[in-house]
Amino acid sequence: MKNLNSLLAGIFLAVAFPFGTLVISSQIQLGPLGPAPAEEGGPLFPSREPGLAIQGRAVYVSLGCVSCHTQQVRPAGQGSDIARGYGVRASVARDYVLQKPVLLGERRIGPDLANYGARTKDLAVVHTAIKHDGQFTFLYTGAKQEVPSGRAVALAAYLQSLRQDYSSPEAKLKK
Amino acid sequence: MTQENRSDRPQGRPPEGDSRLTRTESQLRGPFLLFFISAVIWLLAASVLGVIAALEQGSLAGGPFRDCEMLTYGHIAAAQHNLFVYGWGFNAFFALNLWLLSQLGRFELRNGWLATLGGVFWNLALTYGVVLIFAGNQTGFSLLEFPREVGPVLAVAFLLAGFWPIVAFARRPTGHTFASQWFVVAASFAFPLTYLLAQLLILWQPASGVVQAIAHSWFVSNLLLLWFGASALAAVYYFLPKVLDRTISGYYLAPVAFWSFVLFAGWTGPAALIGAPVPLWLQSVGVVAGAMLIIPAIITAINFHGTLSSEGGWSRAWNDTTLRFVSFGAVSFTVFGVLNAVFSFRGYNAVTRFTSFAAGQEQLLTYAFASMVLFGATYFVLPRLTGSLWPSAKLVHVHFWSTALGAVASIVALLVGGWENGKQLADASVSFQQIAKSTTAWNTVLSVSAVLLLVGHIAFALNAFGMILKSSAPASAGRHD
């Protein structure tokens, strides 16, 4: 404690050891994950996002949507995520391997969006939801804010691309 | 300040101070005031944004700026959070940590211009980052929202502005060390490491998939505990015995408090990811580490409350401005430690997850503990550096009561409101609209407490700036040649 070097060494280890164990080892464990078929020969999931959805993700990030919306479904028994219809199964790490950045979120001031695309097929409903009863009307033009701007179109495409309703090797859906 | 004074100093007690401006202090006056004034300006800005954010959250469907893109909740909340943490928390602790370790190590800051330069860089980078958040350029990771080019500038600025306490520790004339020194050295060394690694793995070379979220949780826990927590603990260890003029009771336990705090803090991050799509063992590690933090919480409780409990310490603390704030903070830290241990557990966490509960815990640590300690420290340090008295006792009272009430009200609203909200979320038959309706009352409390905090901070700023303006210190003796 009286020696600066041993004090600094102790603090360094206290920072570096958790970093190595928590972060680096999960990178080793999860880093190689990629899209994979649930059964041999099946389709690869998660599938690549369309370009418009990638643009929409940038809109989502820029507006700070992540401060009110999560994108993760907890396993049954922890909260009511599945009972609420946020998803048909719990989210797994593989679902996120193509997402840059990963937007798991920390608050649910609004509903979870991990499976928004799977539960909302109607584009008009998506645009109504984006407007939040008149909060995000700057994304729309026209007399009644009925014409979506390019950003609103991209955002809607992104929201509709959000889905975890497929089987993956770690989380198979019951047939 | 004589030689024999050094060797006779009892354990658990900082060295005696000089009531006049010492040479040590006069040399750090310039950088100190730069950090402090920027801190208070950012605190005011953050409190104004806090009021707007609370109002917007209270009326999801509208709010005062419903159709203004720049002022959407996602922008306001991010800017407020960053200004409070990097603007207020960092600048204020740059100032206090520098003063504290200069005092304890009799360190004369000869290259003060480097610290000043660091402060200028820090605040310019911060301004740039916040402007970009409002312009819609943010990253989506809380407390790392600034676009990635801001990160390296902040890191370099930190090394220039925040590394001096370690130099002061290295150059101290005696072998003896005091608890405050360990905690400040830990804070000043751990933050830049954490920040650079997090920047690298989240923004520059993003790790794959959810590993980003894991790295982020590790970063946030380190930032909150090892910067805010450790720095504020250092201040409590200094001011309690200093102002009460007695030794810390059970001081021999302090090294255990220090090492257990530093060792467990870094593992607590994944507790914020319970139920998330990350490996289960990670979540368990986070839970265990959160529970283990009870050890430093108990030891610091013995140290602080033991010191305050003997010989009418509490009533003396109540009648002394510095100690009133500092002991408020000390009690808050104990509450934080207990809550953190209990609510790490999976069963409770499943309820409080995704609610305002985590924000309440953070407010407890960064505001009720760290900020209140900072306020108390300011009431001690600023008169020494400026050579004048606080202009208004009334404003001090306004400051204490509005911040204390505002802190308690907001924390209760975030914690209890978060718990109720979580209970409803756990019941799938309660719709989201119903939940939003039932949180209205708590949102009103939050709005009122945000206004209270703003009022308190205005009173504090008026008093502090009035004092700095009228100070006659430049003429004082011992000023750097």
Side-chain angles (χ1 to χ4, degrees), chain B residues 190-365:
Chain B
F191 176 75
L193 265 181
T194 310
Y195 190 69
L196 284 172
L197 287 171
Q199 281 279 331
L200 184 71
L201 278 182
I202 296 173
L203 302 180
W204 289 86
Q205 283 293 326
S208 78
V210 292
V211 182
Q212 293 170 22
I214 297 167
H216 178 247
S217 77
W218 170 79
F219 165 74
V220 172
S221 68
N222 269 9
L223 168 66
L224 296 180
L225 290 169
L226 290 182
W227 180 258
F228 278 89
S231 301
L233 282 173
V236 183
Y237 269 112
Y238 181 85
F239 286 107
L240 277 189
K242 185 85 181 169
V243 183
L244 286 174
D245 195 25
R246 59 175 65 150
T247 51
I248 291 268
S249 57
Y251 181 73
Y252 62 94
L253 289 169
V256 184
F258 172 73
W259 284 115
S260 57
F261 184 76
V262 169
L263 288 179
F264 294 127
W267 299 92
T268 55
L273 291 173
I274 295 176
V278 300
L280 275 175
W281 64 267
L282 270 178
Q283 305 174 24
S284 306
V285 167
V287 171
V288 173
M292 294 303 266
L293 271 188
I294 195 76
I295 296 172
I298 288 174
I299 296 177
T300 52
I302 293 171
N303 286 160
F304 301 158
H305 309 322
T307 309
L308 279 163
S309 294
S310 59
E311 298 167 51
W314 285 106
S315 71
R316 278 180 61 195
W318 186 250
N319 291 316
D320 180 275
T321 311
T322 295
L323 278 192
R324 193 187 285 195
F325 281 97
V326 169
S327 35
F328 186 102
V331 173
S332 304
F333 183 72
T334 309
V335 177
F336 168 81
V338 173
L339 266 185
N340 193 50
V342 172
F343 283 89
S344 293
F345 284 95
R346 232 172 266 270
Y348 292 126
N349 190 288
V351 176
T352 59
R353 192 95 173 85
F354 305 131
T355 70
S356 63
F357 199 88
Q361 285 174 300
E362 190 184 321
Q363 174 89 338
L364 194 52
L365 180 70

Side-chain angles (χ1 to χ4, degrees), chain B residues 24-40 90-103 109 112-113 115-116 119 123 161 164 239 374 377-386 390 460 464 467-468:
Chain B
T24 307
E25 282 179 313
S26 70
Q27 281 177 337
L28 58 82
R29 187 174 178 275
F32 183 99
L33 287 182
L34 170 75
F35 296 141
F36 177 74
I37 292 169
S38 344
V40 176
F90 273 81
N91 275 305
F93 276 123
F94 284 155
L96 182 61
N97 290 353
L98 174 62
W99 179 85
L100 205 55
L101 261 66
S102 298
Q103 286 295 102
L109 181 63
W113 64 275
T116 307
N123 288 303
W164 294 104
F239 286 107
L374 276 170
T378 311
Y379 283 107
F380 185 90
V381 179
L382 212 52
R384 297 170 61 93
L385 290 187
T386 58
W390 288 92
F460 176 61
M467 183 164 165
I468 292 169

